[in-house]
Every structure is written in structure tokens, then in C-alpha cells.
Amino acid sequence: MSEITWPHLAAAQQPEWPDAVALQQVHETLLALPPLVFAGECDELTIKLGEAALGNAFVLMGGDCAETFAANTADSIRARLKTVLQMAIVLTYGASLPVVKIGRIAGQYGKPRSSGMETIDGVSLPSYRGDAVNGLAFTPESRIPDPKRLVDVYHASAAALNLVRAFTQGGYADLRQVHAWNQDFVSESTPGKRYEEMAGEIDRALSFMTAIGADPEEFRRVDFYASHEALLLDYEKPLTRIDSRTGNPYDVSGHFVWIGERTRELDGAHIDFAAKISNPIGVKVGPKTTPADVLALLERLNPNRIPGRLMLITRMGAGNIRDVLPGIIETVKNTDHPVLWVCDPMHGNTREAASGHKTRLFEDVLDEVRGFFEVHAQMGTHPGGIHIELTGDDVTECLGGISGVSEDDLPFRYETACDPRLNRIQSLDLAFQVAEMLGTRRT
Ligand code: PEP
Ligand code: MN
């Protein structure tokens, strides 16, 4: 297999690997490893995302801010998957709309950082850049970038994806399991109870369908796609392969990758990379993005105007979205670009608690999603999906919501390696509220 050649362009947020020989060995190892996903699966996702761009489906993306090797366990993966499946069923049932399910999973191991150094109690060390690069432990040794971690990312991702495929294709995601997904927390929470009622209604509908002889394949399995930020080009490039069917390059490290807010320079290596791969891709769009920036990104990343190829993931902050998003949408509307609009209500709403914990208010998250729906309604465009940082566990990382996490609760279960995630109750609560927004929009 011939190696794809890439131009030498500036790449933001890359680690300074101390050992060039080790990096070269890792490169060769990754080049020889088999693909984690097939090009055909990526194309199938592009088609589904194209439907979402038209308003005929809704995208739910969710998972960790930063996956870690330590949390890449069956329990943790199952809990995250279960949360996304429960949210998806709430959205599907509540809005009568197909939901395209995408995990931030099986590859989300690299993190961009606002600052290269982290200081604790007067000691400064290089920042943690995700398990793909260095260790979370605050010691000089642990913070040295080690390229061999990229090979560990590949194997951890392969294991996670294998389990996800087994869960989603092998009976666990059978619609007749909707009750089972809720078992461990039904009695504890309002969203849990609400879910249980809905699951009862779904059960009755399924029994009716079975009684009349209908038993479609869709009852038994779900399509679940893997995504991560295409940040570390030393990982993504050797995992980019030419598809023998089409002759086009695909990044086979995941079905969908996105370019983050800090690495989307038009003339930088990340945008060049994203432009060349044929996967469906996303770009994060923050509050300082101008309509001209967006236009340039659209032309660069989707010159053929393929529906579903490009998702713009707006992450404006609850206080900005109603002011900034209309101008961007207006500009895009004046073109023939088929943009899929997705709301990330997490990254514009991060704040520091008095205790120093990085946190987010559930009410801000909800308000940004509400703003997103309001602006799209006003502009006559489709709110195509949400992108959420979540976990399946009862962590105490985001404040508020029905579970009432308070500032005092933050230290109890603050387990994230990077940004604060919605816990299971907060995630399900959000899904019910978004289902209402979607349902209202369609009536
Ligand atoms: C992220 O998705 O974890 C992230 C870093 O987002 P952004 O690039 O939007 O800041
Ligand atoms: Mn994050």
C-alpha cells in the first residue's frame, strides 16, 4: 500500500514529542494496523447526516470530553452507551423523528489546551493533553509526551468499538430492552420515572406491531457511530487509507471526526487534513467566528456541496447564541451549501466554581439549546442535532438540573480528566426537554 503524502503546514496544538525515532516507529506501526471502520460505513453516515441537514432526522452526539485508558472498561462503556441510547429513544419517541446516534467514543483521547503549562501550588508542568499524549498525574515524568501512547489509543479504541458493535448489533439494543436500560435508576429520579412511563408506551406499541406480524430489523439493532476530534495528526494521518472501491482517502480511526475551535485555521494542517478525507466531518464554531470565516470553511471543506458531509457545531455560550448565530446562518442561507447545524451547549458555558473546579450550569446548557432552537425557528433553518459531554455515571461535575448538584457536591464524584460532563440524570432530563423543543417545532 502506498503511503499518502501530506503537505508541510503549520499544525496547532501538537505535542512536542521528545523522541523522533520512537515517533517514526509508531508511525510505521499505525500504518500497518487494520482499519477500525469501513469507508462504506462512513458513507452511510454521510447519507443519514444529509437527512438531518434537511430536517428529516436529528443527530445526537455524546460521550466523554476526554476518554481515558483507565475508564475504557466494559462497565463504563456500557453506561455511556446506555445513556446515549436512552436519550435517543426519548428524542425519537418524543419527536417522531429518526435519531442518528454518534458517540464521542473509541478515539477521543487527545485534548487541545488553552495553556501549554499547568500550575498547581506554585509548581508548573506541561499541561495534560489527553491519554494519547501524556499522563494526567501531576508529575514531571508523567507529563512527558510519549508517542507509544498513540498505539495504545488504537488498541483501546479497537476494544471499545468492538464492544459497542457487540452491544448495538447483538441484542442489547433491542427495543424490547428499553426497560432494562433504565433498571438501575428508575425509582431514583423524575426523568427515570418519566422514562419508565414512555418505555411502557413503547412496549405496548411493540406488542401491537408484533401481533399484526411486523418485526422489522430496526427493532433489534441500532446503528451507532464513533467520533472524535481529529487533533493529533500523528495518529490520524497513518490511519488514513485509500478506499479500494472509490479510490478516495478515508480516516479509518472513526466514522466521523471534527476539527476543534483551536485548530480550524484555514491555512493550517487540520483543515487541509479534513478537506482531503472523505468521511463526514464537523467543525466547531465559537462566538468569535465571523460569517466570512464560515463561508471560507464551507468552500474549503465541502466544495461539492454534498449533503451530510459537513456539520457546523456551534458552541457559542448561552449568552451569545441569540446574538451571534443569526448572522452566520443568514450568510450561509445566501449560498447553496447544505449545512447540518448542530449545537454543542457545553464548550461555551464552562466556568470555574469557588472551589476551583471547572464546571457548567445545567441551566446554561439548556438555555443554549433553547437559543439554538429559537434562532433556527426565526431563520427558517433546521436545528439538526446536539453534541453533549456526558457520562453514564452519577458524577457531580455539572451544577444544577433536576438532580440538584450543588457547589458543595462537586468534590464527591468529580472524575473527568478534562471538562465537566452531564451525569446520567442530567443527560436524560436534557433529552426530555430537547424532545419537547423538537416536538413543538414540528407541530
Ligand atoms: C471538545 O469538544 O472537547 C473541545 C475541546 O471543544 P472546542 O474545540 O469546541 O473547544
Ligand atoms: Mn471538552
Side-chain angles (χ1 to χ4, degrees):
M1 184 187 48
S2 65
E3 205 177 316
I4 301 167
T5 51
W6 304 95
H8 288 283
L9 296 170
Q13 298 278 345
Q14 302 306 287
E16 288 172 24
W17 306 111
D19 183 345
V21 175
L23 180 62
Q24 183 56 29
Q25 277 163 0
V26 162
H27 181 79
E28 315 235 320
T29 303
L30 290 174
L31 269 183
L33 285 164
L36 295 178
V37 302
F38 282 149
E41 296 176 309
C42 302
D43 291 348
E44 184 188 278
L45 177 58
T46 301
I47 291 170
K48 291 183 185 175
L49 296 177
E51 284 302 308
L54 291 173
N56 300 328
F58 192 73
V59 179
L60 172 62
M61 292 183 85
D64 273 318
C65 175
E67 286 183 277
T68 62
F69 298 143
N72 195 41
T73 62
D75 282 351
S76 168
I77 294 167
R78 191 198 310 105
R80 276 175 271 155
L81 188 63
K82 197 155 66 173
T83 306
V84 175
L85 290 178
Q86 281 194 286
M87 291 175 77
I89 206 86
V90 167
L91 289 164
T92 311
Y93 192 73
S96 301
L97 204 58
V99 172
V100 185
K101 295 162 274 291
I102 309 178
R104 284 177 65 114
I105 200 165
Q108 181 51 24
Y109 286 96
K111 295 313 301 172
R113 302 317 303 246
S114 317
S115 162
M117 299 298 279
E118 185 182 344
T119 304
I120 300 180
D121 296 334
V123 179
S124 291
L125 290 176
S127 294
Y128 170 64
R129 290 184 173 273
D131 274 14
V133 175
N134 55 6
L136 183 58
F138 193 69
T139 64
E141 304 72 44
S142 135
R143 293 294 168 92
I144 298 171
D146 178 357
K148 289 201 281 306
R149 285 172 169 272
L150 298 177
V151 179
D152 298 339
V153 167
Y154 172 90
H155 290 295
S157 301
L161 197 52
N162 183 56
L163 191 63
V164 167
R165 289 188 192 276
F167 274 138
T168 53
Q169 308 293 317
Y172 182 78
D174 191 307
L175 265 182
R176 277 156 286 217
Q177 299 282 325
V178 280
H179 283 289
W181 303 337
N182 201 42
Q183 249 158 23
D184 48 334
F185 92 147
V186 57
S187 53
E188 295 165 28
S189 67
T190 313
K193 287 192 197 114
R194 211 170 154 191
Y195 179 88
E196 199 56 23
E197 276 169 33
M198 187 200 68
E201 288 170 29
I202 293 174
D203 260 357
R204 280 192 293 284
L206 288 177
S207 303
F208 170 74
M209 297 289 281
T210 315
I212 61 168
D215 188 17
E217 178 66 8
E218 286 74 14
F219 285 4
R220 284 191 294 275
R221 44 178 285 275
V222 300
D223 291 327
F224 192 96
Y225 298 94
S227 75
H228 61 269
E229 177 174 350
L231 177 71
L232 300 168
L233 298 176
D234 292 321
Y235 181 70
E236 308 299 341
K237 286 182 177 176
L239 286 172
T240 297
R241 309 286 164 76
I242 302 292
D243 172 36
S244 55
R245 284 173 320 146
T246 57
N248 294 327
Y250 284 78
D251 183 352
V252 293
S253 69
H255 299 107
F256 179 100
V257 292
W258 74 87
I259 304 300
E261 170 73 355
R262 295 167 189 78
T263 52
R264 57 171 173 74
E265 300 84 11
L266 271 177
D267 52 356
H270 289 87
I271 291 297
D272 177 69
F273 173 76
K276 288 187 173 133
I277 59 172
S278 302
N279 308 52
I281 53 170
V283 185
K284 293 287 198 90
V285 172
K288 300 215 174 72
T289 320
T290 64
D293 294 337
V294 171
L295 277 190
L297 285 167
L298 298 183
E299 283 300 325
R300 191 71 209 288
L301 296 174
N302 195 13
N304 298 326
R305 289 147 171 76
I306 299 166
R309 150 76 175 164
L310 182 59
M311 175 193 293
L312 290 184
I313 310 169
T314 59
R315 30 88 85 219
M316 301 292 177
N320 298 319
I321 183 148
R322 292 171 181 83
D323 300 329
V324 182
L325 190 55
I328 292 177
I329 296 180
E330 185 60 41
T331 310
V332 173
K333 266 177 72 176
N334 291 331
T335 71
D336 54 354
H337 275 283
V339 166
L340 167 57
W341 300 98
V342 166
C343 173
D344 164 0
M346 313 302 291
H347 290 89
N349 294 309
T350 313
R351 55 165 78 187
E352 196 173 300
S355 56
H357 290 92
K358 206 187 209 191
T359 190
R360 290 163 175 152
L361 260 180
F362 180 82
E363 283 64 29
D364 287 344
V365 169
L366 190 61
D367 190 37
E368 177 153 359
V369 180
R370 223 178 268 297
F372 175 76
F373 273 81
E374 281 167 24
V375 172
H376 281 288
Q378 211 175 289
M379 306 296 295
T381 41
H382 299 297
I386 52 173
H387 179 119
I388 307 293
E389 288 185 340
L390 56 81
T391 164
D393 303 317
D394 293 326
V395 298
T396 54
E397 298 172 4
C398 291
L399 298 170
I402 227 156
S403 62
V405 177
S406 71
E407 292 226 6
D408 291 343
D409 296 328
L410 286 176
F412 292 135
R413 280 199 73 178
Y414 194 93
E415 296 173 5
T416 183
C418 193
D419 289 341
R421 304 158 296 177
L422 297 186
N423 63 27
R424 177 116 167 264
I425 297 178
Q426 290 167 330
S427 301
L428 204 52
D429 189 9
L430 179 71
F432 276 112
Q433 309 222 34
V434 175
E436 268 165 32
M437 296 177 212
L438 258 179
T440 318
R441 189 189 65 96
R442 286 167 61 79
T443 49

